[in-house]
């Protein structure tokens, strides 16, 4: 029956990576996604290379200690990979252990075969994922210290062993993780607060990264970050970050045999304990006959107008779905922090290098670009309905009421985010009130145009699936067009500021031309939205 187990493993891997045959191939989306991935990977690789090279070649008491510095760097990187790996493995284990697969359960397949296939597929995908994270870091160190070819084979070995260790931590933490999910299941406000706090913390770390990037732009080097305190902290982390330091020692071949034996034993124990824990939980789920209880509805039926009911329904759908809460509320509330970091960083760079005051133009650039990125949620306004879109069409309301309810919700959320961003810019950048008012006008017009444009793109080619992680075909097209328009308007504003410095007429041109382009974009979006809107609505 090995061929059945092989088919089940193949089925699980395809579901993990969503490898499905499709007749539609969007060349535009593929090319743009590839270019963006290459660009981001190149920038990340360059900065990581500079940081690693600077730290590895630092002198202590006039001497290099490349081996020790390399192990300290690898320990930090591997610890980060372990944390990320444990988190995403818990998400996958949660689906394996706590969600039934009714299709497989209805087939004449042994439960043991289903369990083995899920574990094997999970381990294979785990090794591939860990390898994708380890290879860039090891490649950087391979180039810096000019390591031997054995470094490559050790990278493969570390990927396999680290996947096994991650299994142990994930299988132990999965039960507190599931308890936390159940505790937060109906506490929507608390879930939103936690998401907002987490994304704000991530953006704070991102701001620290931007600060390093700013110093790199200003000085051309980043040696200023390496001092006695940095070396002392890295040495402490190297000693306490277990088992990441074991993997680092194996890579640098320090006490190779001893550390390898320790890691292999830990890996074997990890896999064995993990399989036992997961097997018990899995079979408990398989043979459970718990029936879903019908929830009691305590709310009273109230008579409302169709448009008001649509707005309330859209808000509840976003508020009570964790993914949508994160995309709409958490990102919108945390976005002002990102805008503040970007604006202050680039303003300092421009002032120190060029000696010009471009605070207004930089603020306009940051707000317009992030409005585009924030409004990617609008590209799923139709697709979010999934198969239930057919039920929406049967309701006693027209298309304009249905779509307008989604536009209103998106507008309100983005409006709050823009207002918070402008308050922060006014507080920390010191722009005059008239400029803040101009930024507000530009942003609101551009935001409404973006919502209309992205919603119509989704209406033309919706992706009606049952998943909460719905992705729209319109997202990439909207990002490309929106970024071109936003960056173009921002660059025009910067050019006009440089070209026209003094005089009332010059000041009028500086602020009216960008606003005129935003108005043209607004008019185009309105015309584009209403063109054949009933045709595309009825076509679905």
């Amino acid at each position: 029956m090995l061929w059945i187990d092989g088919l089940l493993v193949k089925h699980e891997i395809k579901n993990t990576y969503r490898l499905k045959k499709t007749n539609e191939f969007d060349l535009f989306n593929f090319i743009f996604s590839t270019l963006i991935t290459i660009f981001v990977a190149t920038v990340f690789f360059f900065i990581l290379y500079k940081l690693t090279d600077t730290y590895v070649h630092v002198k202590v008491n006039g001497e290099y200690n490349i081996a020790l510095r390399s192990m300290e760097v690898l320990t930090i990187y591997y610890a980060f990979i372990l944390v990320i790996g444990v988190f995403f493995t818990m998400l996958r284990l949660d689906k394996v252990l706590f969600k039934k697969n009714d299709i497989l359960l209805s087939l004449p397949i042994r439960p043991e075969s289903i369990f083995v296939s899920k574990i094997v597929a999970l381990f294979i995908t785990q090794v591939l994922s860990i390898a994708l994270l380890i290879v860039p870091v090891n490649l950087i160190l391979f180039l810096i210290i000019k390591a031997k070819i054995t470094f490559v084979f050790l990278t493969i070995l570390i990927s396999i062993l680290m996947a096994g260790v991650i299994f142990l931590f994930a299988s132990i933490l999965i039960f507190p993780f599931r308890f936390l999910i159940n505790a937060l299941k109906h506490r929507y406000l608390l879930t939103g607060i936690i998401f907002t706090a987490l994304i704000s913390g991530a953006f704070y770390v991102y701001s620290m990264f931007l600060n390093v990037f700013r110093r790199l732009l200003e000085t051309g080097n980043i040696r200023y970050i390496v001092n006695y305190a940095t070396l002392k902290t890295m040495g402490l982390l190297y000693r306490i970050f277990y088992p990441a330091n074991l993997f680092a020692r194996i890579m640098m071949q320090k006490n190779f045999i001893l550390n390898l034996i320790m890691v292999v034993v830990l890996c074997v124990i990890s896999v064995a304990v993990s399989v036992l824990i997961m097997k018990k939980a899995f079979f408990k789920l398989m043979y459970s006959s718990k029936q879903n209880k019908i929830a009691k509805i305590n709310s009273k039926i109230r008579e409302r107008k169709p448009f008001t009911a649509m707005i309330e329904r859209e808000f509840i759908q976003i508020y009570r779905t964790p993914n949508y809460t994160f995309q709409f509320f958490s990102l919108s509330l945390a976005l002002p922090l990102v805008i503040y970091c970007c604006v202050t960083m680039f303003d300092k760079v421009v002032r120190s290098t060029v000696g010009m005051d471009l605070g207004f133009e930089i603020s306009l650039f940051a707000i317009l670009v992030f409005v585009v990125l924030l409004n990617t949620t609008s590209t799923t306004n139709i697709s979010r309905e999934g198969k239930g879109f057919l039920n929406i069409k049967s309701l006693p309301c027209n298309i304009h009421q249905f779509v307008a309810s989604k536009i209103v919700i998106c507008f309100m959320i983005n409006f709050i985010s823009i207002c918070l961003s402008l308050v922060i810019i006014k507080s920390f950048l010191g722009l005059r009130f008239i400029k803040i008012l101009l930024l507000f006008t530009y942003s609101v017009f551009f935001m409404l145009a973006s919502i209309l444009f992205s919603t119509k793109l989704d209406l033309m080619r919706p992706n009606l699936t049952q998943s909460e992680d719905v992705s729209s075909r319109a997202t990439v097209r909207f990002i490309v067009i929106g970024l071109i328009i936003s960056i173009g308007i921002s660059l025009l504003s910067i050019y006009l500021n440089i070209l026209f410095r003094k005089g009332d007429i010059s000041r009028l041109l500086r602020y009216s031309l960008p606003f005129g382009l935003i108005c043209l974009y607004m008019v185009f979006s309105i015309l584009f939205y209403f063109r054949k809107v009933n045709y595309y609505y009825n076509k679905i």
Side-chain angles (χ1 to χ4, degrees):
M1 302 296 287
L2 291 177
W3 65 275
I4 295 181
D5 296 337
L7 288 176
L8 290 175
V9 171
K10 181 180 178 181
H11 170 75
E12 293 296 329
I13 294 176
K14 289 178 66 176
N15 285 342
T16 301
Y17 292 108
R18 298 180 180 179
L19 301 176
K20 296 180 180 180
K21 294 182 179 180
T22 175
N23 296 327
E24 296 186 7
F25 177 73
D26 198 326
L27 181 62
F28 180 82
N29 288 6
F30 174 77
I31 294 176
F32 178 76
S33 302
T34 304
L35 292 177
I36 289 295
T37 302
I38 293 174
F39 173 76
V40 173
T42 302
V43 173
F44 174 78
F45 189 89
F46 172 74
I47 296 178
L48 195 60
Y49 180 89
K50 285 288 186 180
L51 286 170
T52 306
D53 185 47
T54 300
Y55 186 80
V56 168
H57 289 99
V58 67
K59 286 184 178 181
V60 178
N61 297 326
E63 295 181 355
Y64 292 109
N65 194 341
I66 295 178
L68 179 59
R69 299 283 93 80
S70 300
M71 287 188 291
E72 291 174 350
V73 169
L74 286 177
T75 299
I76 301 301
Y77 291 154
Y78 289 165
F80 174 77
I81 292 173
L82 284 170
V83 172
I84 296 296
V86 168
F87 176 75
F88 284 101
T89 303
M90 284 195 301
L91 294 180
R92 293 177 182 176
L93 282 177
D94 184 66
K95 294 181 180 180
V96 172
L97 300 179
F98 300 104
K99 295 182 180 179
K100 286 189 177 182
N101 192 326
D102 295 332
I103 297 178
L104 292 180
L105 291 176
S106 63
L107 297 177
I109 302 175
R110 295 181 305 155
E112 291 80 4
S113 297
I114 299 176
F115 174 74
V116 170
S117 67
K118 289 181 179 293
I119 296 302
V120 172
L122 185 60
F123 187 79
I124 292 174
T125 55
Q126 191 66 31
V127 171
L128 295 176
S129 302
I130 295 301
L132 287 176
L133 295 175
I134 290 179
V135 166
V137 175
N138 285 12
L139 178 60
I140 289 172
L141 201 61
F142 178 82
L143 297 175
I144 291 175
I145 66 176
K146 297 179 175 59
K148 298 179 180 179
I149 194 64
T150 54
F151 210 77
V152 178
F153 298 103
L154 290 176
T155 299
I156 300 174
L157 177 63
I158 289 297
S159 301
I160 298 174
L161 295 177
M162 194 176 292
V165 174
I166 286 175
F167 254 76
L168 174 64
F169 292 106
S171 60
I172 293 175
L173 296 176
I174 183 63
F175 297 102
F177 178 73
R178 169 45 60 175
F179 176 79
L180 179 63
I181 291 178
N182 291 335
L184 297 175
K185 191 173 183 180
H186 298 294
R187 293 174 173 85
Y188 308 109
L189 180 60
L190 181 59
T191 302
I193 293 173
I194 293 175
F195 281 161
T196 304
L198 291 176
I199 196 64
S200 298
F203 284 150
Y204 176 75
V205 176
Y206 172 73
S207 68
M208 297 171 62
F209 175 79
L210 286 180
N211 187 50
V212 174
F213 184 65
R214 176 177 67 85
R215 294 295 183 92
L216 179 61
L217 290 176
E218 290 178 346
T219 62
N221 65 78
I222 49 178
R223 292 187 179 275
Y224 74 94
I225 67 171
V226 181
N227 49 38
Y228 176 75
T230 305
L231 293 173
K232 186 176 180 180
T233 302
M234 293 288 287
L236 176 63
L237 296 178
Y238 167 68
R239 291 190 296 270
I240 66 175
F241 277 2
Y242 177 87
N245 51 9
L246 296 181
F247 294 111
R249 292 168 190 166
I250 291 175
M251 288 303 305
M252 298 306 300
Q253 301 183 34
K254 180 182 179 181
N255 298 329
F256 180 77
I257 301 298
L258 177 61
N259 287 304
L260 182 61
I261 292 175
M262 292 174 63
V263 171
V264 170
V265 171
L266 178 62
C267 183
V268 172
I269 295 175
S270 300
V271 173
V273 173
S274 302
V275 170
L276 290 176
I277 294 174
M278 290 184 288
K279 185 176 181 180
K280 184 175 181 180
F282 180 77
F283 283 104
K284 184 177 180 180
L285 173 72
M286 289 282 293
Y287 296 112
S288 64
S289 59
K290 188 176 180 179
Q291 301 293 329
N292 294 328
K293 296 181 180 180
I294 301 176
K296 295 181 180 179
I297 301 177
N298 297 322
S299 60
K300 297 181 180 179
I301 298 177
R302 294 179 291 115
E303 184 177 354
R304 289 161 293 179
K305 294 182 179 180
F307 183 65
T308 305
M310 283 286 182
I311 293 178
E312 183 178 348
R313 171 191 171 276
E314 183 69 16
F315 176 80
I316 291 175
Q317 181 186 26
I318 296 172
Y319 179 67
R320 294 186 177 180
T321 307
N323 288 350
Y324 300 158
T325 299
F326 175 79
Q327 295 171 13
F328 281 83
F329 297 131
S330 299
L331 287 178
S332 299
L333 293 175
L335 186 64
L337 176 62
V338 185
I339 292 178
Y340 161 73
C341 296
C342 294
V343 169
T344 53
M345 184 198 73
F346 284 108
D347 185 58
K348 291 179 181 178
V349 171
V350 171
R351 288 179 185 272
S352 62
T353 56
V354 184
M356 295 181 60
D357 181 13
L358 297 177
F360 174 83
E361 289 75 14
I362 294 173
S363 301
L364 178 64
F365 172 80
I367 291 177
L368 294 187
V369 168
F370 282 109
V371 162
V372 172
L373 300 179
L374 187 62
N375 274 316
T376 53
T377 54
S378 303
T379 59
T380 59
N381 274 341
I382 309 301
S383 299
R384 280 198 308 272
E385 298 298 331
K387 300 299 182 181
F389 183 79
L390 299 177
N391 296 330
I392 298 296
K393 294 179 69 175
S394 65
L395 296 178
C397 64
N398 57 43
I399 176 179
H400 300 295
Q401 289 179 324
F402 166 65
V403 181
S405 65
K406 296 178 174 293
I407 293 174
V408 168
I409 290 294
C410 293
F411 181 84
M412 292 171 60
I413 295 173
N414 292 353
F415 183 83
I416 295 173
S417 181
I418 288 175
C419 290
L420 292 175
S421 302
L422 292 177
V423 169
I424 292 176
I425 290 175
K426 173 62 177 174
S427 302
F428 293 95
L429 208 60
L431 292 180
R432 291 186 299 171
F433 180 75
I434 185 64
K435 291 187 176 182
I436 295 295
L437 188 60
L438 286 173
L439 284 175
F440 174 78
T441 306
Y442 292 177
S443 304
V444 170
F445 274 66
F446 187 83
M447 174 187 64
L448 184 57
S450 300
I451 294 174
L452 292 172
F453 183 66
S454 58
T455 302
K456 180 59 182 297
L457 285 177
D458 190 34
L459 181 64
M460 293 170 65
R461 297 183 65 188
N463 181 23
L464 302 178
T465 65
Q466 296 286 1
S467 174
E468 293 178 5
D469 301 320
V470 61
S471 59
S472 172
R473 302 181 181 95
T475 303
V476 175
R477 280 184 167 79
F478 169 71
I479 291 176
V480 174
I481 297 173
L483 287 180
I484 291 174
I485 295 174
S486 60
I487 294 174
I489 293 173
S490 303
L491 292 178
L492 175 63
S493 179
I494 294 174
Y495 175 74
L496 292 174
N497 188 5
I498 298 174
L499 189 63
F500 302 108
R501 299 291 299 172
K502 297 179 180 179
D504 295 335
I505 297 178
S506 299
R507 192 176 294 111
L508 180 63
L509 289 174
R510 284 170 52 190
Y511 298 121
S512 61
L513 287 180
F515 183 65
L517 291 178
I518 293 176
C519 289
L520 286 177
Y521 179 44
M522 178 75 177
V523 173
F524 169 78
S525 298
I526 294 174
L527 296 177
F528 177 72
Y529 170 76
F530 284 102
R531 182 178 179 272
K532 294 185 178 181
V533 62
N534 291 317
Y535 167 76
Y536 289 110
Y537 179 76
N538 296 323
K539 184 181 177 181
I540 301 175

